[in-house]
Short mmCIF file of all heavy atoms in Angstrom, two decimals:
data_model
loop_
_atom_site.label_atom_id
_atom_site.label_comp_id
_atom_site.label_asym_id
_atom_site.label_seq_id
_atom_site.Cartn_x
_atom_site.Cartn_y
_atom_site.Cartn_z
N GLY A 1 90.15 81.63 134.45
CA GLY A 1 89.39 80.63 133.75
C GLY A 1 89.43 80.80 132.21
O GLY A 1 89.93 81.70 131.64
N LEU A 2 88.85 79.76 131.52
CA LEU A 2 88.86 79.68 130.07
C LEU A 2 88.03 80.83 129.50
O LEU A 2 88.40 81.30 128.50
CB LEU A 2 88.35 78.27 129.67
CG LEU A 2 88.33 78.05 128.20
CD1 LEU A 2 89.72 78.17 127.53
CD2 LEU A 2 87.74 76.64 127.91
N LYS A 3 86.99 81.12 130.16
CA LYS A 3 86.12 82.25 129.69
C LYS A 3 86.84 83.59 129.64
O LYS A 3 86.63 84.36 128.72
CB LYS A 3 84.84 82.36 130.56
CG LYS A 3 83.86 81.19 130.40
CD LYS A 3 82.68 81.43 131.28
CE LYS A 3 81.74 80.24 131.20
NZ LYS A 3 80.60 80.42 132.06
N TYR A 4 87.67 83.75 130.58
CA TYR A 4 88.53 84.99 130.58
C TYR A 4 89.42 85.08 129.34
O TYR A 4 89.44 86.16 128.66
CB TYR A 4 89.33 85.05 131.90
CG TYR A 4 90.34 86.24 131.96
CD1 TYR A 4 89.92 87.45 132.24
CD2 TYR A 4 91.66 86.03 131.64
CE1 TYR A 4 90.81 88.52 132.26
CE2 TYR A 4 92.56 87.07 131.68
CZ TYR A 4 92.13 88.30 132.01
OH TYR A 4 92.97 89.34 132.03
N TYR A 5 90.09 83.99 129.06
CA TYR A 5 90.97 84.02 127.91
C TYR A 5 90.19 84.14 126.56
O TYR A 5 90.63 84.75 125.63
CB TYR A 5 91.90 82.73 127.93
CG TYR A 5 92.86 82.81 128.93
CD1 TYR A 5 92.87 81.91 130.02
CD2 TYR A 5 93.91 83.70 128.86
CE1 TYR A 5 93.84 81.88 130.99
CE2 TYR A 5 94.91 83.80 129.86
CZ TYR A 5 94.86 82.91 130.93
OH TYR A 5 95.81 82.93 131.92
N ILE A 6 89.02 83.53 126.46
CA ILE A 6 88.26 83.60 125.29
C ILE A 6 87.73 84.99 125.10
O ILE A 6 87.78 85.61 124.06
CB ILE A 6 87.04 82.59 125.31
CG1 ILE A 6 87.59 81.20 125.16
CG2 ILE A 6 86.06 82.83 124.23
CD1 ILE A 6 86.57 80.08 125.41
N GLY A 7 87.28 85.66 126.18
CA GLY A 7 86.80 87.01 126.11
C GLY A 7 87.95 87.94 125.73
O GLY A 7 87.82 88.87 124.95
N LEU A 8 89.13 87.77 126.38
CA LEU A 8 90.28 88.61 126.04
C LEU A 8 90.71 88.40 124.55
O LEU A 8 90.99 89.41 123.90
CB LEU A 8 91.40 88.28 127.00
CG LEU A 8 92.69 89.15 126.96
CD1 LEU A 8 92.26 90.57 127.35
CD2 LEU A 8 93.69 88.60 127.83
N GLY A 9 90.68 87.21 124.10
CA GLY A 9 91.03 86.96 122.68
C GLY A 9 89.95 87.61 121.74
O GLY A 9 90.39 88.10 120.73
N GLY A 10 88.70 87.52 122.07
CA GLY A 10 87.66 88.15 121.25
C GLY A 10 87.88 89.73 121.15
O GLY A 10 87.73 90.31 120.13
N ILE A 11 88.16 90.33 122.34
CA ILE A 11 88.38 91.78 122.33
C ILE A 11 89.61 92.09 121.51
O ILE A 11 89.63 93.05 120.72
CB ILE A 11 88.51 92.28 123.83
CG1 ILE A 11 87.17 92.15 124.48
CG2 ILE A 11 89.02 93.67 123.80
CD1 ILE A 11 87.20 92.45 125.99
N TRP A 12 90.70 91.32 121.67
CA TRP A 12 91.92 91.51 120.89
C TRP A 12 91.56 91.41 119.34
O TRP A 12 92.07 92.21 118.62
CB TRP A 12 92.96 90.61 121.30
CG TRP A 12 94.23 90.68 120.51
CD1 TRP A 12 95.19 91.69 120.61
CD2 TRP A 12 94.64 89.97 119.41
NE1 TRP A 12 96.17 91.53 119.73
CE2 TRP A 12 95.89 90.39 118.91
CE3 TRP A 12 94.09 88.83 118.76
CZ2 TRP A 12 96.56 89.91 117.88
CZ3 TRP A 12 94.80 88.27 117.72
CH2 TRP A 12 95.98 88.79 117.25
N MET A 13 90.83 90.43 118.97
CA MET A 13 90.53 90.23 117.55
C MET A 13 89.65 91.38 117.05
O MET A 13 89.88 91.86 115.92
CB MET A 13 89.73 88.89 117.35
CG MET A 13 90.74 87.72 117.42
SD MET A 13 89.87 86.12 117.27
CE MET A 13 89.10 86.28 115.71
N LEU A 14 88.74 91.85 117.81
CA LEU A 14 87.92 92.96 117.38
C LEU A 14 88.72 94.23 117.12
O LEU A 14 88.54 94.82 116.12
CB LEU A 14 86.83 93.34 118.49
CG LEU A 14 85.93 94.50 118.23
CD1 LEU A 14 85.01 94.14 117.08
CD2 LEU A 14 85.17 94.79 119.48
N PHE A 15 89.60 94.57 118.09
CA PHE A 15 90.38 95.79 117.92
C PHE A 15 91.49 95.60 116.81
O PHE A 15 91.86 96.52 116.08
CB PHE A 15 91.10 96.24 119.23
CG PHE A 15 89.99 96.89 120.12
CD1 PHE A 15 89.64 96.25 121.30
CD2 PHE A 15 89.49 98.10 119.80
CE1 PHE A 15 88.70 96.78 122.11
CE2 PHE A 15 88.52 98.69 120.59
CZ PHE A 15 88.20 98.03 121.77
N SER A 16 92.07 94.41 116.67
CA SER A 16 93.07 94.16 115.66
C SER A 16 92.49 94.23 114.27
O SER A 16 93.07 94.76 113.34
CB SER A 16 93.81 92.88 115.89
OG SER A 16 92.92 91.79 115.69
N GLN A 17 91.24 93.80 114.10
CA GLN A 17 90.59 93.84 112.78
C GLN A 17 90.28 95.34 112.38
O GLN A 17 90.46 95.72 111.24
CB GLN A 17 89.27 93.08 112.82
CG GLN A 17 89.45 91.61 112.84
CD GLN A 17 90.15 91.00 111.60
OE1 GLN A 17 89.97 91.53 110.53
NE2 GLN A 17 90.90 89.92 111.78
N THR A 18 89.86 96.18 113.30
CA THR A 18 89.56 97.49 113.12
C THR A 18 90.86 98.27 112.79
O THR A 18 90.82 99.07 111.81
CB THR A 18 88.94 98.18 114.39
OG1 THR A 18 87.74 97.38 114.72
CG2 THR A 18 88.54 99.59 114.14
N THR A 19 91.92 98.07 113.46
CA THR A 19 93.16 98.68 113.18
C THR A 19 93.70 98.21 111.75
O THR A 19 94.21 98.98 111.07
CB THR A 19 94.21 98.38 114.26
OG1 THR A 19 93.62 98.72 115.50
CG2 THR A 19 95.48 99.07 114.06
N LEU A 20 93.58 96.98 111.51
CA LEU A 20 94.05 96.40 110.28
C LEU A 20 93.30 97.01 109.11
O LEU A 20 93.86 97.32 108.01
CB LEU A 20 93.90 94.84 110.31
CG LEU A 20 94.42 94.13 109.03
CD1 LEU A 20 95.90 94.33 108.88
CD2 LEU A 20 94.03 92.65 109.12
N ALA A 21 91.99 97.16 109.21
CA ALA A 21 91.21 97.75 108.13
C ALA A 21 91.62 99.18 107.87
O ALA A 21 91.67 99.62 106.77
CB ALA A 21 89.69 97.69 108.48
N ALA A 22 91.86 99.92 108.93
CA ALA A 22 92.27 101.33 108.73
C ALA A 22 93.64 101.49 108.13
O ALA A 22 93.97 102.33 107.37
CB ALA A 22 92.19 102.03 110.13
N GLU A 23 94.58 100.53 108.54
CA GLU A 23 95.94 100.64 108.02
C GLU A 23 96.11 100.00 106.68
O GLU A 23 97.05 100.27 105.94
CB GLU A 23 96.87 99.96 108.97
CG GLU A 23 97.04 100.66 110.27
CD GLU A 23 97.90 99.89 111.30
OE1 GLU A 23 98.34 98.70 110.98
OE2 GLU A 23 98.13 100.44 112.37
N SER A 24 95.19 99.11 106.25
CA SER A 24 95.34 98.45 104.97
C SER A 24 94.89 99.23 103.76
O SER A 24 95.09 98.79 102.63
CB SER A 24 94.56 97.11 104.99
OG SER A 24 93.17 97.36 105.05
N CYS A 25 94.38 100.47 103.94
CA CYS A 25 93.98 101.28 102.85
C CYS A 25 95.22 102.07 102.37
O CYS A 25 95.37 103.26 102.77
CB CYS A 25 92.88 102.18 103.19
SG CYS A 25 92.20 103.10 101.72
N GLN A 26 96.08 101.46 101.59
CA GLN A 26 97.26 102.11 101.08
C GLN A 26 97.25 101.97 99.56
O GLN A 26 96.71 100.98 99.07
CB GLN A 26 98.52 101.48 101.72
CG GLN A 26 98.59 101.56 103.16
CD GLN A 26 99.76 100.89 103.73
OE1 GLN A 26 100.50 100.26 102.95
NE2 GLN A 26 99.95 100.81 104.99
N GLY A 27 97.83 102.92 98.87
CA GLY A 27 97.89 102.74 97.42
C GLY A 27 98.67 103.96 96.87
O GLY A 27 99.23 104.79 97.60
N ARG A 28 98.65 104.02 95.55
CA ARG A 28 99.29 105.11 94.87
C ARG A 28 98.49 105.42 93.57
O ARG A 28 97.74 104.63 93.14
CB ARG A 28 100.73 104.82 94.60
CG ARG A 28 100.89 103.65 93.61
CD ARG A 28 102.41 103.41 93.34
NE ARG A 28 102.58 102.27 92.47
CZ ARG A 28 102.55 102.37 91.22
NH1 ARG A 28 102.32 103.45 90.52
NH2 ARG A 28 102.72 101.30 90.44
N PHE A 29 98.66 106.63 93.15
CA PHE A 29 97.99 107.01 91.90
C PHE A 29 98.53 106.37 90.69
O PHE A 29 99.79 105.91 90.65
CB PHE A 29 98.11 108.58 91.71
CG PHE A 29 97.19 109.34 92.59
CD1 PHE A 29 97.66 109.92 93.75
CD2 PHE A 29 95.83 109.44 92.28
CE1 PHE A 29 96.87 110.64 94.61
CE2 PHE A 29 95.00 110.15 93.14
CZ PHE A 29 95.49 110.77 94.31
N ILE A 30 97.82 106.14 89.60
CA ILE A 30 98.23 105.53 88.46
C ILE A 30 99.15 106.44 87.68
O ILE A 30 98.89 107.58 87.50
CB ILE A 30 97.02 105.18 87.51
CG1 ILE A 30 96.10 104.20 88.27
CG2 ILE A 30 97.46 104.59 86.21
CD1 ILE A 30 96.71 102.87 88.49
N ASN A 31 100.31 105.88 87.31
CA ASN A 31 101.28 106.65 86.41
C ASN A 31 100.92 106.27 84.94
O ASN A 31 101.13 105.11 84.56
CB ASN A 31 102.70 106.27 86.75
CG ASN A 31 103.68 107.04 85.93
OD1 ASN A 31 103.34 107.68 84.99
ND2 ASN A 31 104.92 106.93 86.34
N PRO A 32 100.37 107.21 84.16
CA PRO A 32 99.98 106.82 82.81
C PRO A 32 101.08 106.45 81.94
O PRO A 32 100.91 105.84 80.85
CB PRO A 32 99.27 108.07 82.30
CG PRO A 32 99.82 109.19 83.16
CD PRO A 32 100.13 108.57 84.45
N ILE A 33 102.35 106.76 82.27
CA ILE A 33 103.45 106.41 81.41
C ILE A 33 103.95 105.00 81.70
O ILE A 33 104.15 104.20 80.73
CB ILE A 33 104.71 107.39 81.66
CG1 ILE A 33 104.30 108.81 81.51
CG2 ILE A 33 105.81 106.97 80.83
CD1 ILE A 33 103.82 109.18 80.17
N THR A 34 104.08 104.54 82.92
CA THR A 34 104.59 103.20 83.23
C THR A 34 103.56 102.21 83.57
O THR A 34 103.82 100.97 83.48
CB THR A 34 105.62 103.34 84.41
OG1 THR A 34 104.92 103.85 85.53
CG2 THR A 34 106.83 104.22 83.98
N ASP A 35 102.38 102.60 84.06
CA ASP A 35 101.39 101.65 84.53
C ASP A 35 100.33 101.16 83.50
O ASP A 35 99.59 100.31 83.84
CB ASP A 35 100.68 102.17 85.75
CG ASP A 35 101.57 102.37 86.94
OD1 ASP A 35 102.67 101.76 86.97
OD2 ASP A 35 101.20 103.17 87.84
N VAL A 36 100.35 101.82 82.40
CA VAL A 36 99.46 101.42 81.29
C VAL A 36 100.18 100.51 80.32
O VAL A 36 101.26 100.90 79.91
CB VAL A 36 98.79 102.69 80.60
CG1 VAL A 36 97.95 102.30 79.44
CG2 VAL A 36 97.97 103.51 81.61
N CYS A 37 99.61 99.48 79.87
CA CYS A 37 100.14 98.58 78.83
C CYS A 37 99.92 99.15 77.45
O CYS A 37 98.91 98.91 76.76
CB CYS A 37 99.59 97.19 78.91
SG CYS A 37 100.21 96.06 77.73
N TRP A 38 100.88 100.03 77.07
CA TRP A 38 100.67 100.73 75.74
C TRP A 38 100.85 99.79 74.59
O TRP A 38 100.23 100.04 73.49
CB TRP A 38 101.64 101.94 75.63
CG TRP A 38 101.25 103.00 76.64
CD1 TRP A 38 101.96 103.34 77.77
CD2 TRP A 38 100.09 103.87 76.61
NE1 TRP A 38 101.27 104.30 78.46
CE2 TRP A 38 100.12 104.68 77.73
CE3 TRP A 38 99.07 104.02 75.70
CZ2 TRP A 38 99.14 105.62 78.04
CZ3 TRP A 38 98.08 104.93 75.95
CH2 TRP A 38 98.09 105.75 77.12
N SER A 39 101.64 98.67 74.77
CA SER A 39 101.74 97.74 73.70
C SER A 39 100.52 96.96 73.49
O SER A 39 100.32 96.32 72.37
CB SER A 39 102.95 96.85 73.92
OG SER A 39 102.64 95.99 75.04
N CYS A 40 99.57 97.00 74.41
CA CYS A 40 98.31 96.26 74.30
C CYS A 40 97.33 97.01 73.38
O CYS A 40 96.25 96.47 73.01
CB CYS A 40 97.67 96.07 75.66
SG CYS A 40 98.64 95.00 76.76
N LEU A 41 97.64 98.22 72.96
CA LEU A 41 96.81 98.95 71.94
C LEU A 41 96.86 98.32 70.60
O LEU A 41 96.00 98.48 69.81
CB LEU A 41 97.26 100.42 71.86
CG LEU A 41 97.06 101.33 73.04
CD1 LEU A 41 97.77 102.64 72.80
CD2 LEU A 41 95.55 101.57 73.24
N PHE A 42 97.96 97.57 70.32
CA PHE A 42 98.19 97.02 68.99
C PHE A 42 97.43 95.72 68.86
O PHE A 42 97.22 95.03 69.85
CB PHE A 42 99.59 96.79 68.77
CG PHE A 42 100.48 98.04 68.86
CD1 PHE A 42 101.25 98.30 69.86
CD2 PHE A 42 100.30 99.01 67.79
CE1 PHE A 42 102.02 99.45 69.92
CE2 PHE A 42 101.05 100.19 67.87
CZ PHE A 42 101.96 100.43 68.95
N PRO A 43 96.90 95.40 67.69
CA PRO A 43 97.21 96.00 66.40
C PRO A 43 96.33 97.20 66.15
O PRO A 43 95.25 97.34 66.57
CB PRO A 43 96.81 94.90 65.43
CG PRO A 43 95.73 94.11 66.14
CD PRO A 43 96.05 94.23 67.54
N ILE A 44 96.92 98.19 65.37
CA ILE A 44 96.16 99.31 64.91
C ILE A 44 95.98 99.15 63.47
O ILE A 44 96.85 98.77 62.68
CB ILE A 44 97.05 100.62 65.15
CG1 ILE A 44 97.21 100.89 66.64
CG2 ILE A 44 96.31 101.77 64.53
CD1 ILE A 44 98.08 102.07 66.92
N SER A 45 94.63 99.36 63.03
CA SER A 45 94.36 99.17 61.62
C SER A 45 93.50 100.27 61.12
O SER A 45 92.70 100.93 61.92
CB SER A 45 93.62 97.85 61.45
OG SER A 45 92.44 97.86 62.23
#
């Protein structure tokens, strides 16, 4: 029945969101040499 597919889809969405949230926390540390806009310090007065 339709209720079966709706329930199955809801369970799938619940678990896929939990997995997606855990896997989406990716990143890297800031490299102060290349990741900072050092030319933005100017003008110096």
Side-chain angles (χ1 to χ4, degrees):
L2 182 61
K3 291 181 182 180
Y4 173 79
Y5 289 113
I6 291 175
L8 189 62
I11 292 171
W12 178 77
M13 286 178 58
L14 177 70
F15 285 112
S16 66
Q17 291 293 332
T18 305
T19 306
L20 181 64
E23 292 175 357
S24 66
C25 186
Q26 299 174 2
R28 62 182 180 85
F29 285 100
I30 297 296
N31 183 347
I33 305 299
T34 59
D35 293 342
V36 175
C37 178
W38 292 107
S39 66
C40 297
L41 290 170
F42 299 109
I44 296 176
S45 59

